[in-house]
Amino acid sequence: MKEALKNRTKIFAHNCIKITGQFPNNYLANHIKGQLIRCSTSIAANYRATCIAQSKASFISKISIVIEEVDESNFWIEFALDENLIQKESVECILKESRELTAIFMASRKTASINRQ
């Protein structure tokens, strides 16, 4: 499961980067590009860190960062849609993936928190 999620989060980051290539070249689009690239790649990097966490507390802390970054990625994609920088059809799959990743990581955090008590 860990390796599958490592791969899945990396693919998500790649797909977000590819999406930004469809944005126009203007100030707002460039700002959103940078934000989306930063938070989507952070998901993959921080998930890898959760896999080597040295304690439950460290795992919970790191998985919480992953959850925040997935949510932020989702925000920037939705914001780009709101600003008509991209077409909904081109991001439907990635929005679905962000919802699935959020659910997976939220469940992992909940399980780790319950087992910590």
Side-chain angles (χ1 to χ4, degrees):
M1 180 73 162
K2 273 193 228 182
E3 290 305 314
L5 280 172
K6 280 183 185 179
N7 189 47
R8 201 166 162 181
T9 57
K10 189 170 19 169
I11 290 168
F12 181 81
H14 283 296
N15 288 336
C16 285
I17 291 166
K18 288 175 186 162
I19 286 169
T20 66
Q22 299 174 27
F23 289 7
N25 188 19
N26 61 47
Y27 183 79
L28 176 62
N30 290 335
H31 173 72
I32 295 171
K33 282 180 199 180
Q35 294 289 356
L36 182 55
I37 289 169
R38 183 199 55 77
C39 57
S40 65
T41 56
S42 178
I43 296 163
N46 280 294
Y47 179 70
R48 290 177 68 95
T50 67
C51 294
I52 58 170
Q54 295 181 1
S55 67
K56 281 274 194 224
S58 178
F59 175 86
I60 292 167
S61 175
K62 291 174 189 319
I63 202 79
S64 294
I65 293 167
V66 173
I67 293 165
E68 290 172 9
E69 297 293 347
V70 174
D71 186 62
E72 185 177 345
S73 296
N74 198 46
F75 168 79
W76 288 116
I77 295 166
E78 289 176 355
F79 198 83
L81 281 168
D82 294 345
E83 291 294 325
N84 297 311
L85 300 175
I86 195 151
Q87 299 299 310
K88 183 162 183 139
E89 301 77 40
S90 60
V91 292
E92 284 176 338
C93 287
I94 201 151
L95 287 170
K96 179 180 183 281
E97 178 69 351
S98 72
R99 287 189 297 270
E100 289 178 11
L101 289 172
T102 298
I104 291 166
F105 296 133
M106 295 278 286
S108 293
R109 181 175 64 184
K110 184 177 180 180
T111 299
S113 296
I114 290 169
N115 291 337
R116 186 173 166 210
Q117 296 173 352

